[in-house]
């Protein structure tokens, strides 16, 4: 993908990720402050608990990431009964054609980097990478950290529970939804140690996020969370200083627990990247 290689934002996934039991709406028409006696820390913890029980989500990402600069993405992520993801991402700072589409189907990741990339793939528009193989997984990371698509953005939003102090900023309307805005600072080392207290599944999801930030050289995160009247996270923002530049991403959740259908691209339009790498190495 040459210099147009795209570092996928919070996703698969992260995304990550990406929130609650039976939540199928974003809480429109409900008051954000229906529990005025609840402390900021308790409100964030309640939203985090809801996030852990989601089965699917659609979300929008915008902001800046190290190296690439500004990024924009729209994604759908299914967590149960099996994981699947579809994400379209663009990097305006690299030009109007710096776009990519990524799909996760079973153990395979499919990447469509556009017409320019297809010229190097014998006219095929999709690259397939089987993530079940160790070598393939390493190649995936080299393709611009596409493995981030496996991260759950909902799990990343729960990192604010690791802040030493959470404060209420005020109330805002996000995509027509009344929300309460909270903010806090999270130390990566402290957060890493606190994972031992979490449930196995929650700790595993959060550990992926923590490792991502640690690899980027981020020591501390400033996090904002907007919680709707149903105690679900409607939006969250993550800011930090990485080794190769500033990180500032905002993730807005469009819906929860609604169907997310992802299909593999036609075989005739797909190049197996692992096989291509083998041929290059053999040559």
């Amino acid at each position: 993908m040459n210099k147009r290689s795209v570092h996928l934002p919070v996703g698969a996934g992260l995304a990550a990720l990406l929130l609650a039991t039976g939540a199928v709406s974003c809480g429109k028409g409900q008051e954000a402050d229906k529990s005025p006696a609840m402390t900021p820390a308790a409100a964030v913890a309640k939203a985090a608990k809801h996030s852990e029980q989601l089965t699917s989500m659609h979300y929008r990402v915008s902001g800046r990431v190290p190296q690439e600069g500004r990024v924009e993405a729209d994604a759908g992520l299914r967590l149960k009964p099996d994981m699947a993801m579809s994400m379209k991402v663009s990097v305006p700072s690299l030009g109007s054609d710096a776009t990519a589409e990524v799909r996760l189907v079973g153990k395979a990741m499919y990447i469509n980097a556009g017409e320019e990339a297809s010229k190097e793939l014998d006219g095929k528009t999709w690259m397939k990478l089987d993530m079940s193989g160790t070598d393939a997984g390493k190649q995936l990371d080299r393709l611009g950290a596409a493995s981030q698509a496996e991260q759950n953005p909902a799990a990343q939003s729960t990192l604010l529970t690791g802040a030493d102090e959470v404060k209420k900023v005020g109330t805002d309307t996000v995509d027509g939804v009344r929300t309460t805005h909270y903010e806090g600072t999270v130390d990566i080392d402290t957060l890493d140690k606190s994972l031992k207290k979490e449930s196995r599944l929650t700790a595993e999801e959060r550990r992926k996020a923590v490792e991502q930030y640690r690899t980027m050289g981020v020591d501390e995160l400033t996090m904002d969370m907007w919680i709707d009247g149903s105690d679900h996270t409607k939006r969250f923002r993550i800011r930090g200083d990485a080794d190769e530049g500033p990180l500032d991403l905002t993730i807005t959740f469009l819906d929860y627990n609604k169907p997310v259908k992802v299909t593999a691209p036609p075989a005739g339009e797909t190049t197996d990247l692992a096989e291509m790498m083998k041929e290059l190495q053999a040559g």
Side-chain angles (χ1 to χ4, degrees):
M1 295 167 64
N2 296 329
K3 64 181 180 180
R4 297 190 182 281
S5 178
V6 176
H7 285 260
L8 296 180
V10 173
L14 347 205
L17 3 357
L18 337 195
L19 243 139
T21 305
V24 293
S25 72
C26 296
K28 290 186 178 180
Q30 301 185 51
E31 291 298 321
D33 237 355
K34 69 175 184 177
S35 303
M38 187 178 294
T39 66
V44 168
K46 190 171 185 179
K49 193 66 177 178
H50 283 174
S51 302
E52 296 169 8
Q53 303 172 41
L54 293 183
T55 59
S56 65
M57 66 199 75
H58 288 88
Y59 58 96
R60 182 173 61 241
V61 182
S62 64
R64 299 184 66 84
V65 294
Q67 290 186 302
E68 280 80 8
R70 184 154 189 84
V71 296
E72 299 173 358
D74 286 277
L77 174 65
R78 184 178 71 231
L79 301 171
K80 296 180 181 180
D82 59 346
M83 179 175 282
M85 186 274 303
S86 176
M87 174 183 283
K88 294 182 178 180
V89 59
S90 63
V91 187
S93 61
L94 296 182
S96 60
D97 60 340
T99 62
E101 180 178 355
V102 178
R103 298 180 191 177
L104 177 66
V105 183
K107 293 294 184 179
M109 179 76 77
Y110 298 88
I111 304 172
N112 185 335
E115 294 182 3
E116 286 299 317
S118 71
K119 295 178 181 179
E120 301 179 17
L121 301 173
D122 296 326
K124 296 182 178 180
T125 55
W126 289 89
M127 294 180 288
K128 174 185 177 182
L129 186 57
D130 184 354
M131 298 188 298
S132 62
T134 302
D135 291 339
K138 292 179 180 178
Q139 293 298 335
L140 182 64
D141 287 333
R142 294 168 188 160
L143 279 176
S147 56
Q148 290 180 31
E150 289 188 291
Q151 296 188 21
N152 179 355
Q156 295 210 31
S157 74
T158 69
L159 296 180
L160 184 55
T161 59
D164 290 333
E165 182 180 357
V166 178
K167 65 180 181 180
K168 177 181 173 181
V169 178
T171 57
D172 297 301
T173 299
V174 179
D175 281 357
V177 178
R178 182 81 167 173
T179 66
T180 301
H181 180 187
Y182 299 95
E183 183 184 68
T185 301
V186 180
D187 179 84
I188 295 298
D189 288 336
T190 301
L191 182 61
D192 197 11
K193 295 176 183 178
S194 71
L195 294 177
K196 299 177 182 178
K197 302 177 182 179
E198 304 290 347
S199 64
R200 184 194 63 78
L201 181 59
T202 302
E204 182 180 349
E205 291 286 350
R206 293 187 186 181
R207 187 169 288 110
K208 291 179 182 178
V210 169
E211 184 58 33
Q212 170 191 343
Y213 296 122
R214 192 185 301 283
T215 299
M216 295 170 67
V218 176
D219 299 319
E220 185 177 82
L221 292 171
T222 297
M223 295 192 65
D224 294 80
M225 181 182 288
W226 288 261
I227 300 175
D228 69 16
S230 297
D231 299 315
H232 302 132
T233 300
K234 174 62 178 173
R235 170 179 288 172
F236 75 98
R237 182 184 182 188
I238 293 180
R239 288 168 286 165
D241 293 320
D243 290 340
E244 298 183 352
L247 170 71
D248 187 348
L249 285 177
T250 297
I251 291 83
T252 302
F253 294 91
L254 307 178
D255 63 54
Y256 314 125
N257 294 351
K258 291 187 177 180
V260 173
K261 184 178 180 180
V262 185
T263 58
E269 300 176 12
T270 303
T271 294
D272 190 308
L273 190 56
E275 291 299 324
M276 185 173 71
M277 290 296 180
K278 291 180 180 178
E279 292 177 3
L280 290 175
Q281 291 173 358

